[in-house]
Amino acid sequence: MQRASERIERPSPAVVPRAKRLLPRWSASVVLLVEDDDEMRRLLAGALRRDGLRVVEAADGDDALDWLGPWALEGNLESAPDLIVSDIRLPYFTGLEILEGIQIAADRIPVILITGFPDQETTDRALALGAQCVLSKPFEIADFRSAVRRALNPS
């Protein structure tokens, strides 16, 4: 399992197997998945990997910010994920705080937030901060995968 404390090296197009090159353009994308519930994180990570995405898993907001640090603080675009999927309620830093923290970046990273405690005020705040969407648990995996595809390929 890829942890947030590890770095993902992006393969050059020449070394991506032919079968992977036939997947949609977004399929080689890196997704930072931040979820403190181990079972939910495994389920979502598995769905993303089956779609050909590379997934970095973080169990809390602190792990997520450690992984995002080189990108956010040093402008190291090689370490930036293509998408962040985060639970809203997390230990240390919330999904909303992560969303607020990445606002300083020149290149916006799309963010999908998920929550088991939906309320209109939080949803409105998340969308005002630039979240692509807020999914309320429980949700269908097909809806999750569709939201990820829209976030990675907005055109």
Side-chain angles (χ1 to χ4, degrees):
M1 168 172 54
Q2 181 73 41
R3 294 281 181 197
S5 58
E6 302 169 17
R7 297 283 168 241
I8 283 188
E9 296 296 323
R10 292 178 186 268
S12 66
V15 297
V16 176
R18 184 183 188 305
K20 293 286 185 186
R21 287 193 306 259
L22 297 177
L23 292 171
R25 176 178 54 83
W26 53 266
S27 66
S29 298
V30 175
V31 177
L32 174 59
L33 174 62
V34 191
E35 170 61 66
D36 58 330
D37 181 291
D38 292 339
E39 187 175 328
M40 176 63 95
R41 191 175 60 250
R42 278 193 298 274
L43 174 74
L44 298 177
L48 295 172
R49 287 184 178 114
R50 281 189 297 281
D51 284 343
L53 299 167
R54 301 184 75 189
V55 181
V56 176
E57 298 178 40
D60 57 49
D62 193 42
D63 280 352
L65 292 179
D66 280 349
W67 198 81
L68 289 168
W71 164 74
L73 299 175
E74 302 161 12
N76 181 355
L77 297 178
E78 292 297 314
S79 66
D82 299 296
L83 172 66
I84 298 171
V85 175
S86 178
D87 193 1
I88 290 179
R89 289 190 182 184
L90 294 165
Y92 305 112
F93 297 98
T94 68
L96 285 173
E97 290 169 328
I98 292 169
L99 178 60
E100 286 175 316
I102 66 167
Q103 296 300 312
I104 61 170
D107 292 332
R108 293 283 318 275
I109 297 173
V111 176
I112 295 172
L113 294 175
I114 54 179
T115 184
F117 305 94
D119 67 80
Q120 194 59 50
E121 182 180 332
T122 302
T123 299
D124 291 345
R125 183 168 175 227
L127 295 174
L129 287 170
Q132 297 289 310
C133 66
V134 178
L135 297 174
S136 298
K137 297 176 189 172
F139 50 81
E140 296 294 324
I141 289 296
D143 294 336
F144 171 71
R145 293 170 67 212
S146 178
V148 167
R149 281 192 295 275
R150 282 192 308 274
L152 289 172
N153 192 15
S155 50

